[in-house]
Amino acid sequence: MKKLVAACAALTLLALPTHAQESESNAEEARPVGEQIGAGGRPVGAIWSRSPVHAQHGMAATAHPLATQIALDVLKDGGNAVDAAIAANAALGLMEPTGNGIGGDLFAIIYDPKTDKLYGINGSGRSPKGQTLDQLKAKIGDSDSIPAFGPLPVTVPGTVDAWFTMHDRFGKMPMDDILAPTVKYAREGHPVAPIIGAYFAGNLRRFESVLEESPFDFSNARETWFADGPPEAGEIFTNPDLAKTLETIGREGRDAFYEGELAQVMVDYLQRQGSAYSLEDFASHESTWVEPACVTYRKGYELCELPPNGQGFAALQMVNILKNVDLTQWERGSPEVIHYITEAKRLAYADVARFYADPDFYPFPMELLTDEYGKKRFALIDPTRATPEFQPGTIEVEPKLEGEGDTTYLTVADKDGMMVSLIQSNYRGMGSGMTPDGLGFMFQDRGELYSLDPAHPNAYEPNKRPFQTIIPAFVKKDGKPYMTLGLMGGGMQPQGHVQVLINIVDYGMNLQEAGDAARINHTGGRQPTEPLSGPAEDPLGTLNVEPGIPAETVAALEAMGHNVRVVDNGVMFGGYQAIARDPENGVYTGATEMRKDGQAQGY
């Protein structure tokens, strides 16, 4: 059974060896530069971090410097934060296709200063209406899970509809103007960023290894991205097919993608590969406006997340558990703090695997977000030992009868105070490997995350949205809008949101330090893809930590019963961006992720 968290990170973890593995395979070569010399000093702040960015009129933070510049150009040209976020997302689909693109899904939280409200959008796609669970099982044969590649894990791409849904409500600039910068870069080319170049190489190796075991049509993907091997850092990359696709979308609107010529190309291609999708499946797709939920941590800070089918509420459950202990009595890198964070994660994720699913089929039990429930779950933590296995809460929910990967996170804020927290993904690596003829993008493989157990809330059903890992976040302070926050990477995301919040609230780190600080990522435990009955395949899981966690802490955690692994390549610990707004003077502070190629910048 594939592991949810590992699913999003596995591709690049296999592709990018740790320093220890590098030194084994290249014993005769010189040590990497990072091992030859340590960090320099800084006049202020932690030596392992850098300064956050401050600006008054607008701010953008994305995983690629050129995407950040595009967002700022849109703001300067009179667009608002929604316009700029769409423009940046389109650019990232071209420049960072290893993590996202218009073949994937999108979620966002928008703060609108005019109404002083948060708005959530769920832009995730559904399974084919004409394919039952039994029919799907017949296609996958003896496998106990849905394959990661090929036509079967494809779900309807939700990103383009989400763009237009957000734009119809909040946008100012014409959509063709918003997409124009990416069209230009797609046609004329852009230089590949270093980490994205490494991810290209890892994706190609993984696709080719899978093709040997279970062939699927990779020809279009190879021609689009890998005709001369994986694009390397600094190489000029073009995607004229994507340029034409985005021009069509900008000119003809949402319907071109879901009902017009582009939809026909996609459906014809998928049906040739054995998919059950029809034009009706695409034409009937629509995004959903949803209500974010917020829970209070301490010192007036509230964390806000979107409801399932995403996993955002897992971060809220973790917050409700952790606020029952004062973490500041210990140092941030102490075994006690990491133990409590890890056990809170394991408790929350036991509920994720049991209760999180498409709410059109299985309503979410809001009792899971109450302070009382958080106290009950906290009481299950042994402060001195890792509990071998946590069970989900005993909450009865009546289902409705009628009806882990690579990602990009970006955030934009404008001069009027509008703030957008947006996350978008193709799920595992670049996606399914399936690229429709002449369109320049790859379909997502999000459907891999359905359960094949018909009794499970997340079971595959026709016209159903699968469990989703991608989650944007928002933070309020003293009841006022304060910060957008996101962190890429499968099951790392709720854990990362909580760790950043702890770094800021409990340990006084600035916005940049809160993201640069060493992180943990607990993987394993029960998964939303596993059967409800029977034991979890990996109940204790693995506590992955970065080298910044002290060696004595690692030893103490192992003595407490945790299965600890030190991972030093940064891949599985996510990609962070954030923007905070000073309520007194309106000045924005931006931060970006050192583990990615990105940039935070303002004006």
Side-chain angles (χ1 to χ4, degrees):
M1 181 69 67
K2 292 177 288 296
K3 295 301 176 187
L4 165 65
V5 176
C8 282
L11 178 62
T12 41
L13 277 173
L14 289 175
L16 300 175
T18 65
H19 290 166
Q21 291 170 328
E22 287 173 345
S23 59
E24 282 184 36
S25 59
N26 304 303
E28 302 303 319
E29 299 181 10
R31 289 180 296 148
V33 171
E35 295 181 5
Q36 297 173 17
I37 190 169
R42 278 176 52 80
V44 295
I47 64 169
W48 38 259
S49 188
R50 61 198 185 283
S51 297
V53 178
H54 300 289
Q56 185 176 0
H57 301 296
M59 181 72 69
T62 83
H64 197 294
L66 297 180
T68 297
Q69 291 176 30
I70 286 172
L72 292 180
D73 287 344
V74 168
L75 294 180
K76 292 176 183 179
D77 288 344
N80 64 17
V82 166
D83 299 324
I86 295 170
N89 188 197
L92 289 164
L94 166 70
M95 299 171 181
E96 193 193 16
T98 53
N100 75 117
I102 58 173
D105 287 340
L106 181 155
F107 291 76
I109 297 176
I110 301 166
Y111 171 71
D112 175 30
K114 292 181 180 179
T115 57
D116 192 27
K117 286 183 59 177
L118 293 181
Y119 297 83
I121 187 164
N122 178 332
S124 60
R126 294 165 173 81
S127 57
K129 295 179 180 179
Q131 179 174 268
T132 66
L133 176 58
D134 286 342
Q135 290 170 331
L136 175 62
K137 285 183 174 181
K139 291 180 179 180
I140 65 176
D142 296 333
S143 176
D144 63 353
S145 59
I146 298 171
F149 304 102
L152 296 184
V154 172
T155 49
V156 174
T159 293
V160 172
D161 184 79
W163 284 353
F164 280 89
T165 302
M166 292 189 298
H167 185 264
D168 288 347
R169 188 165 195 167
F170 295 109
K172 294 173 61 178
M173 292 179 65
M175 188 64 83
D176 56 348
D177 289 345
I178 291 171
L179 300 180
T182 300
V183 170
K184 182 179 176 65
Y185 272 118
R187 190 163 282 134
E188 298 179 2
H190 73 280
V192 175
I195 292 175
I196 294 169
Y199 282 12
F200 267 129
N203 272 274
L204 181 57
R205 284 195 292 270
R206 180 59 181 269
F207 282 133
E208 290 182 334
S209 69
V210 172
L211 282 167
E212 295 176 1
E213 303 169 2
S214 52
F216 58 91
D217 177 34
F218 189 62
S219 58
N220 288 346
R222 190 181 296 279
E223 181 180 352
T224 301
W225 292 283
F226 305 110
D228 299 314
E232 298 179 351
E235 177 182 337
I236 301 299
F237 176 79
T238 63
N239 189 339
D241 287 344
L242 182 61
K244 290 186 293 184
T245 297
L246 292 176
E247 277 186 324
T248 301
I249 293 170
R251 181 178 63 250
E252 301 179 20
R254 174 259 179 214
D255 289 352
F257 192 83
Y258 293 96
E259 301 180 40
E261 58 182 287
L262 301 178
Q264 188 67 63
V265 171
M266 287 186 281
V267 171
D268 288 348
Y269 173 79
L270 287 170
Q271 289 181 350
R272 289 201 312 270
Q273 310 308 320
S275 171
Y277 277 109
S278 67
L279 276 173
E280 166 60 20
D281 290 317
F282 277 70
S284 63
H285 171 78
E286 60 181 3
S287 303
T288 305
W289 289 104
V290 295
E291 189 75 21
C294 306
V295 302
T296 301
Y297 183 48
R298 40 179 156 251
K299 299 181 181 178
Y301 287 86
E302 296 175 71
L303 180 62
C304 304
E305 303 274 358
L306 297 183
N309 51 316
Q311 60 176 339
F313 281 5
L316 303 187
Q317 288 193 246
M318 288 181 66
V319 165
N320 274 343
I321 293 169
L322 289 169
K323 67 188 180 186
N324 291 287
V325 58
D326 180 8
L327 297 178
T328 63
Q329 62 187 293
W330 303 290
E331 296 291 335
R332 177 62 180 87
S334 68
E336 291 87 355
V337 170
I338 294 175
H339 172 70
Y340 274 110
I341 294 174
T342 302
E343 298 295 87
K345 179 268 178 183
R346 296 178 61 215
L347 283 161
Y349 278 53
D351 286 339
V352 170
R354 173 63 182 85
F355 297 110
Y356 286 47
D358 185 343
D360 287 346
F361 291 77
Y362 193 88
F364 181 82
M366 294 300 291
E367 180 184 338
L368 298 180
L369 301 187
T370 63
D371 286 350
E372 180 182 5
Y373 185 76
K375 290 177 181 177
K376 290 179 180 178
R377 299 299 273 172
F378 175 77
L380 299 176
I381 298 177
D382 183 334
T384 63
R385 296 287 301 173
T387 299
E389 181 174 7
F390 285 119
Q391 300 296 329
T394 54
I395 295 174
E396 295 298 325
V397 181
E398 289 296 326
K400 294 181 180 179
L401 300 178
E402 67 272 16
E404 229 159 6
D406 290 291
T407 301
T408 199
Y409 173 80
L410 65 94
T411 176
V412 182
D414 65 26
K415 61 182 176 61
D416 297 317
M418 177 177 282
M419 304 174 75
V420 178
S421 179
L422 185 152
I423 197 158
Q424 206 259 301
S425 176
N426 282 4
Y427 185 48
R428 181 193 290 268
M430 292 182 71
S432 64
M434 310 291 290
T435 300
D437 302 327
L439 298 189
F441 67 87
M442 187 178 293
F443 285 117
Q444 65 186 348
D445 48 7
R446 185 64 63 174
E448 183 188 353
L449 287 181
Y450 290 110
S451 171
L452 296 177
D453 177 2
H456 199 292
N458 184 46
Y460 176 91
E461 295 184 57
N463 199 37
K464 184 176 183 179
R465 295 173 292 191
F467 173 80
Q468 284 272 352
T469 57
I470 55 175
I471 54 172
F474 197 93
V475 177
K476 295 180 181 179
K477 185 178 181 182
D478 299 326
K480 298 179 180 179
Y482 175 63
M483 182 173 78
T484 55
L485 162 67
L487 195 141
M488 316 155 201
M492 177 68 216
Q493 294 176 53
Q495 302 179 64
H497 291 186
V498 173
Q499 290 175 60
V500 168
L501 187 67
I502 287 170
N503 290 345
I504 293 171
V505 177
D506 293 323
Y507 293 94
M509 296 185 193
N510 67 40
L511 206 64
Q512 186 64 50
E513 291 169 344
D516 286 343
R519 294 201 276 262
I520 65 170
N521 179 3
H522 179 270
T523 57
R526 188 174 291 278
Q527 305 295 311
T529 52
E530 291 180 337
L532 283 179
S533 59
E537 184 177 320
D538 183 20
L540 178 61
T542 300
L543 176 53
N544 303 279
V545 304
E546 292 193 288
I549 303 300
E552 55 269 28
T553 293
V554 171
L557 289 166
E558 290 174 335
M560 297 169 77
H562 291 282
N563 178 23
V564 186
R565 181 176 66 151
V566 180
V567 181
D568 66 357
N569 60 25
V571 171
M572 68 183 306
F573 298 94
Y576 161 79
Q577 323 281 351
I579 296 174
R581 185 175 189 270
D582 188 322
E584 299 299 324
N585 60 15
V587 169
Y588 290 116
T589 300
T592 192
E593 174 61 73
M594 69 172 184
R595 301 165 186 84
K596 298 284 185 179
D597 293 308
Q599 181 185 55
Q601 193 54 264
Y603 75 103

